[in-house]
Amino acid sequence: MLTRIVYTWLCALAITMMAGAQSRALAAVPAHPHNVPTNRCDTSVANTQHTPDVPHTTERLWLWGAGSASLLDTYLSPLTYHGTNLVVLNRTERLAHWGRGHVTVAGLYSVHGAYAQSPTDDGKYLDTEFTVSGGWHYNWHPTRHWRLAAGGLLEGSGGFTYNTRNGNNPAQGRLGLALCASGLAEYHFALFKKPALARVQLDAQMMGVQFAPEYGQSYYEIFSLGHSSGIIHFTHPGNCPTARLLSEVVLPVKRARITLGYLADVRQSKLGGLKRHAWRHTFMIGYTRKLVRL
């Protein structure tokens, strides 16, 4: 099912990019300073410039999605649980007050909720995870159609997993803070003489700290007996390879901008003798709004 969803989304992306190429072939693109059109009726690619490139404008994206989740937490069970994942994601972006128009301020917030079952179908996981991240991107515009950006994000994350089968230590909590490397690419085109774009963003954790109990250590020992040594771990790609890939196609529908997306959220860790992974693949749909700051 997931493969069919991803295949359908890729086909939609290819069709929209071909439509954009055909529109550019039929319309001449005027050369205006800073790629900003002077005529409101201009529907060329110059009119598809990304919102954060316009001062005092903030772009807000809301996405809702459903997909699959693969969950492993050896604190609770040695088995990998599989199930359904739901997610709500919000992304904001605006031009920074510094950087001479080359720097954008980015924020991304997400909440995941999953219901998964064991291979033997005698246990269930109730899992939730939230992330809050913010930072800056430095932007390049090699052509009228392309925008490239690279930068860094500071990300806080947390959540818990509850195993309905366990009587002792039925839940595991998570809390972490990490510095992420971030990069994105955008392709702007015209679709039915209206601005549209395709975008992909990749964020990967580089270093941070994370809470995780040691192997065999109960929460009763940590919080009641005060045996809390070794529960805060330094994380890096060697013991906590974690990344998020968000790809989107923003399409004009009458006066609205509908967004179709695919989110791959991969979180893994090997801390304190315990292994965990949460692999989530989600098809998403939402909308994009432009807010002008007065």
Side-chain angles (χ1 to χ4, degrees):
M1 181 63 182
L2 176 62
T3 304
R4 186 178 301 175
I5 291 174
V6 174
Y7 177 76
T8 304
W9 181 86
L10 290 175
C11 290
L13 172 61
I15 292 172
T16 53
M17 293 185 71
M18 287 189 294
Q22 184 178 7
S23 299
R24 292 193 307 274
L26 297 177
V29 180
H32 296 302
H34 307 295
N35 295 325
V36 179
T38 57
N39 187 350
R40 291 187 177 182
C41 297
D42 185 7
T43 57
S44 67
V45 179
N47 215 13
T48 67
Q49 278 296 314
H50 189 59
T51 301
D53 291 339
V54 181
H56 309 297
T57 303
T58 300
E59 181 179 86
R60 293 186 180 273
L61 168 70
W62 282 97
L63 289 172
W64 296 266
S68 65
S70 173
L71 306 173
L72 170 68
D73 194 325
T74 57
Y75 184 82
L76 301 174
S77 171
L79 302 177
T80 300
Y81 286 55
H82 299 275
T84 302
N85 181 67
L86 302 177
V87 62
V88 177
L89 183 145
N90 173 252
R91 175 175 58 79
T92 63
E93 195 170 18
R94 64 173 176 82
L95 195 66
H97 299 296
W98 54 279
R100 298 183 178 180
H102 294 287
V103 178
T104 48
V105 182
L108 193 147
Y109 318 92
S110 66
V111 178
H112 293 264
Y115 178 77
Q117 60 187 17
S118 66
T120 56
D121 200 25
D122 59 351
K124 303 292 189 296
Y125 271 177
L126 301 177
D127 180 86
T128 184
E129 187 147 17
F130 71 88
T131 61
V132 177
S133 59
W136 296 270
H137 286 121
Y138 188 88
N139 299 268
W140 298 270
H141 295 85
T143 69
R144 291 188 180 92
H145 314 300
W146 284 98
R147 172 194 172 214
L148 305 177
L153 301 173
L154 182 65
E155 178 179 273
S157 62
F160 70 89
T161 303
Y162 177 76
N163 191 330
T164 60
R165 188 171 181 266
N166 290 4
N168 187 29
N169 292 335
Q172 166 75 307
R174 297 181 296 276
L175 192 64
L177 184 67
L179 181 64
C180 304
S182 177
L184 66 89
E186 282 184 353
Y187 179 75
H188 299 259
F189 57 95
L191 181 65
F192 304 118
K193 297 184 179 182
K194 293 183 179 180
L197 69 88
R199 170 187 170 117
V200 60
Q201 179 174 337
L202 176 63
D203 307 320
Q205 290 189 7
M206 295 290 102
M207 64 178 68
V209 292
Q210 186 169 314
F211 162 81
E214 297 286 336
Y215 176 80
Q217 186 179 28
S218 68
Y219 282 85
Y220 173 77
E221 295 178 63
I222 297 173
F223 297 106
S224 297
L225 302 182
H227 300 167
S228 58
S229 62
I231 62 173
I232 303 299
H233 302 265
F234 174 73
T235 60
H236 51 81
N239 63 5
C240 192
T242 297
R244 174 180 55 234
L245 176 69
L246 176 61
S247 55
E248 314 159 21
V249 178
V250 182
L251 304 174
V253 178
K254 294 185 178 180
R255 295 184 178 181
R257 300 178 69 198
I258 303 300
T259 303
L260 303 177
Y262 165 72
L263 174 65
D265 191 273
V266 177
R267 298 182 178 272
Q268 305 173 116
S269 63
K270 186 177 181 180
L271 305 171
L274 299 172
K275 293 182 180 180
R276 175 187 179 261
H277 78 232
W279 303 335
R280 305 181 180 98
H281 301 274
T282 311
F283 175 75
M284 312 189 77
I285 187 170
Y287 66 93
T288 303
R289 294 183 61 190
K290 299 179 182 180
L291 303 177
V292 179
R293 292 176 287 117
L294 300 178

